[in-house]
Amino acid sequence: MDKRQQLMSELMDLCNEIIWLNKPELESALDGYTLSEIELIENISLIPNANVTKLAAASYMTRGAISKLTKKLIAKNIIESYQNAENKKEIYFRLTTNGQKINNVHQELHRTFLERDKEVFKNMTDDDFNTIFRFIGRYRQHLKNITV
């Protein structure tokens, strides 16, 4: 196996291990919500004037899938839709109070996982982080160029 294959294999294994380890805690704390719904809630909290197009791009989902998920979350009173006075055509989404509570639980889980894993990061230098960020950035740009 060459180094490229080994790196990709290790990255995939790492991602799968993290998901496998975190999944039970996520499912317990956020019972009744799918991982796609939780991701959408998080993206709505982060993206100003979140609409279907922005959410689809951020979630790597189709606009149709986002439309279905937003309808489910509106029915659960987790998000609400709104329109800006300047643009009555476009529909945007924001979290309700219930949605913000769910997002807060999710963000607290992220903090818990970072605390659990702090040992891995404690000896990393800025150069170590920057090398990894550069690699990920180059790889993501490469993938975007392929799909454009």
Side-chain angles (χ1 to χ4, degrees), residues 3 5 7 14 32 36 43 49 69 78 96 102 105-106 108 110 119 121 126 136:
K3 288 186 185 285
Q5 288 174 311
L7 176 61
L14 174 62
S36 294
N43 284 335
N49 298 314
L69 278 173
I78 301 303
T96 63
I102 291 167
V105 169
H106 183 220
E108 184 55 38
H110 280 300
E119 184 68 25
F121 301 104
D126 285 344
I136 292 170

Side-chain angles (χ1 to χ4, degrees), residues 13-148:
D13 286 348
L14 174 62
C15 289
N16 288 331
E17 286 175 37
I18 292 169
I19 291 167
W20 179 83
L21 184 61
N22 294 351
K23 188 175 180 182
E25 202 166 341
L26 282 165
E27 287 176 342
S28 174
L30 301 166
D31 189 34
Y33 298 95
T34 65
L35 292 178
S36 294
E37 289 172 333
I38 298 302
E39 180 182 359
L40 189 62
I41 291 166
E42 180 176 40
N43 284 335
I44 290 171
S45 77
L46 295 173
I47 299 170
N49 298 314
N51 61 19
V52 169
T53 302
K54 290 178 183 178
L55 292 169
S59 302
Y60 300 96
M61 295 177 153
T62 65
R63 291 183 351 191
I66 295 297
S67 291
K68 286 181 183 179
L69 278 173
T70 55
K71 286 176 184 167
K72 284 175 64 176
L73 291 175
I74 288 170
K76 291 180 176 183
N77 191 32
I78 301 303
I79 65 171
E80 60 188 8
S81 61
Y82 68 96
Q83 294 176 306
N84 282 336
E86 314 87 57
N87 183 355
K88 292 289 187 185
K89 182 180 169 186
E90 191 67 52
I91 296 173
Y92 303 97
F93 302 99
R94 63 183 163 224
L95 299 181
T96 63
T97 303
N98 291 335
Q100 190 57 55
K101 288 177 186 174
I102 291 167
N103 192 53
N104 290 345
V105 169
H106 183 220
Q107 296 311 311
E108 184 55 38
L109 285 170
H110 280 300
R111 287 187 283 278
T112 300
F113 298 149
L114 278 175
E115 181 63 24
R116 175 198 68 203
D117 300 337
K118 70 181 177 185
E119 184 68 25
V120 174
F121 301 104
K122 78 175 188 181
N123 292 322
M124 286 186 67
T125 65
D126 285 344
D127 285 343
D128 293 336
F129 279 108
N130 290 333
T131 298
I132 294 168
F133 293 148
R134 277 192 310 275
F135 169 75
I136 292 170
R138 282 193 311 264
Y139 205 117
R140 292 184 79 189
Q141 188 59 50
H142 167 72
L143 296 177
K144 284 179 186 176
N145 291 340
I146 291 172
T147 58
V148 171

